[in-house]
Amino acid sequence: DPLPRPDQVGLRAALSAAVDRGAPGAAARIDDRGTVHAVSVGLADRRTGRVMDGRERFRIGSVTKVFTAVVLLQLADEGRLDLDAPVTRYLPGLLPGDTVTVRQVLGHRSGLYDYADDLFARSVPGFEAVRTRVFAPRELVDLSLRHPRLNRPGAAYAYANTNFVIAGMLAERLTGRPVAAEFRDRIFRPLRLRDTFYVHPGTAVPGRHARGYLTPDRAGDPLVDATEQTVSWAQSAGAIISSTRDVDTFLTALLSGRLTSPARLREMRRAVRVTATQAYGLGLRRRDLPCGVSVYGHTGAVQGYYTVAFATADGRRSLTAFANASNNGPVLDTLGRTLDAAFCGVPAR
Ligand SMILES: C[C@@H](NC(=O)[C@@H](C)NC(=O)CCCC[C@H](NC(=O)C[NH3+])C(=O)[O-])C(=O)O
């Protein structure tokens, strides 16, 4: 059954609300079977006063996890990876005496602790301590292993960046190539994602981009320009740079079955409930919207940038929205309202 037309007024209202709550700027792009609706508000750069126009590149944070999951699901399709094998079959010794499977890692059901909780307990000092650091993936896993498991493998959902650092290690071990090469050859090039890069551990955002601003924990402190950072603390869990156009293209291609076999896509979408309206599959979030539409994608939060990127189950309509702010809950909540505008149409007023 056809979706209601996108609510352009509602889309602009959601972005303006994000700016009212402290984001310097925001932008959103809906791709509705080729018909594009794009809105942008506020500033891409506070210093120069450059206004946001929606074509900017920006850091997509955990939307990276969808790309990393696609690489592993393609390896499963190629018969080179068994999703139900223990991680230690491919990475011996990584998780001592552990039965955690690849599928549990991709579904955040490994029970592993999220080291990011330690790194960013204090947002600005935590960021400043890592912004130029380069971590070996193993270092990040070891940070996590300093904590006891949150639960037995498979017992419950517990979000952890640790899982997608391990997923990146699996891709490198199975292919013998850097995960950057796998992203490029399996996804970025085939889909012609010209705004999409994995430059880790480089700190510069290539080409024309929105600057990103980290909101300090103490009200009244100045925003921190967080644009240049290695994002090595997240790497295959959060370091991709892209644009609203490219993320729309990627989600549309993925959900319309162009990147994996139908069987693997079904497994990716088979989501385990997390809350009344949210579920998690393999590297993919499902949001059940109030109007009854379920959408698949991911959110992102890296210093300076929030992203909301979702599409319908068949990929015919996708939405990517971002604000160049982070550590600001009200901004993230209002950015989430772009989903209702994109997929639920004009509310009955
Ligand atoms: C939420 C999103 N996850 C991600 O995008 C991953 C890469 N980010 C995080 O886990 C949060 C890192 C801290 C951000 C920092 N927060 C703090 O420093 C809080 N003390 C900030 O907001 O900039 C997802 O999976 O949906």
Side-chain angles (χ1 to χ4, degrees):
D1 51 333
L3 288 171
R5 283 168 43 78
D7 172 8
Q8 283 251 38
V9 171
L11 191 66
R12 177 173 292 279
L15 298 185
S16 298
V19 171
D20 292 345
R21 284 160 181 75
R29 181 181 185 277
I30 296 169
D31 184 339
D32 184 17
R33 283 166 300 183
T35 303
V36 174
H37 307 266
V39 178
S40 54
V41 300
L43 299 177
D45 184 329
R46 296 175 75 229
R47 190 178 57 77
T48 64
R50 173 164 53 95
V51 296
M52 194 75 83
D53 71 9
R55 294 197 310 275
E56 296 82 3
R57 291 155 184 183
F58 62 96
R59 298 185 183 281
I60 64 172
S62 283
V63 180
T64 301
K65 293 178 168 74
V66 192
F67 289 78
T68 304
V70 165
V71 171
L72 290 191
L73 290 167
Q74 288 188 353
L75 289 169
D77 274 332
E78 293 157 17
R80 300 163 67 181
L81 172 65
D82 176 353
L83 293 176
D84 292 309
V87 167
T88 45
R89 175 185 304 176
Y90 305 106
L91 297 166
L94 182 72
L95 302 172
D98 212 301
T99 61
V100 169
T101 66
V102 175
R103 192 185 304 275
Q104 288 164 349
V105 160
L106 292 177
H108 290 300
R109 303 176 62 76
S110 66
L112 288 163
Y113 178 81
D114 188 355
Y115 57 81
D117 292 345
D118 292 344
L119 291 178
F120 305 120
R122 295 186 312 135
S123 306
V124 174
F127 170 61
E128 297 292 0
V130 301
R131 73 177 295 168
T132 58
R133 273 197 65 179
V134 181
F135 292 94
R138 180 64 201 250
E139 286 181 82
L140 298 171
V141 176
D142 288 344
L143 284 179
S144 167
L145 291 174
R146 287 188 193 158
H147 294 261
R149 301 297 167 77
L150 302 175
N151 45 56
R152 274 179 305 97
Y157 167 89
Y159 182 90
N161 289 291
T162 320
N163 291 314
F164 279 79
V165 167
I166 292 172
M169 294 173 79
L170 279 169
E172 298 200 341
R173 175 61 56 87
L174 289 166
T175 62
R177 299 188 338 146
V179 71
E182 295 304 311
F183 285 144
R184 184 193 61 223
D185 294 350
R186 292 174 178 275
I187 306 174
F188 301 174
R189 282 214 176 125
L191 295 184
R192 293 183 177 69
L193 304 182
R194 306 240 187 285
D195 295 325
T196 305
F197 303 87
Y198 186 79
V199 299
H200 172 264
T203 59
V205 181
R208 196 167 170 283
H209 56 278
R211 305 217 45 98
Y213 300 94
L214 169 61
T215 309
D217 292 333
R218 194 167 48 201
D221 280 4
L223 295 182
V224 174
D225 184 328
T227 312
E228 275 77 34
Q229 69 156 304
T230 59
V231 200
S232 198
W233 63 266
Q235 39 196 287
S236 51
I240 286 182
I241 288 159
S242 191
S243 66
T244 56
R245 179 191 61 178
D246 279 7
V247 174
D248 277 348
T249 301
F250 168 65
L251 286 181
T252 298
L254 171 61
L255 290 162
S256 55
R258 293 190 358 237
L259 291 175
T260 67
S261 67
R264 289 299 82 67
L265 179 57
R266 272 195 302 279
E267 291 188 79
M268 198 178 189
R269 280 203 309 242
R270 188 175 307 126
V272 175
R273 189 158 291 292
V274 173
T275 69
T277 56
Q278 298 196 29
Y280 205 94
L282 302 181
L284 206 56
R285 290 189 186 282
R286 191 190 77 217
R287 287 272 183 98
D288 302 326
L289 301 176
C291 61
V293 173
S294 287
V295 290
Y296 296 81
H298 220 286
T299 46
V302 58
Q303 286 82 2
Y305 303 92
Y306 279 137
T307 307
V308 171
F310 286 83
T312 47
D314 60 7
R316 284 186 306 171
R317 185 180 297 178
S318 55
L319 157 85
T320 301
F322 83 96
N324 56 352
S326 75
N327 196 33
N328 182 326
V331 166
L332 183 57
D333 293 345
T334 50
L335 202 60
R337 297 206 314 242
T338 55
L339 290 173
D340 302 281
F343 298 103
C344 296
V346 181
R349 287 192 175 99

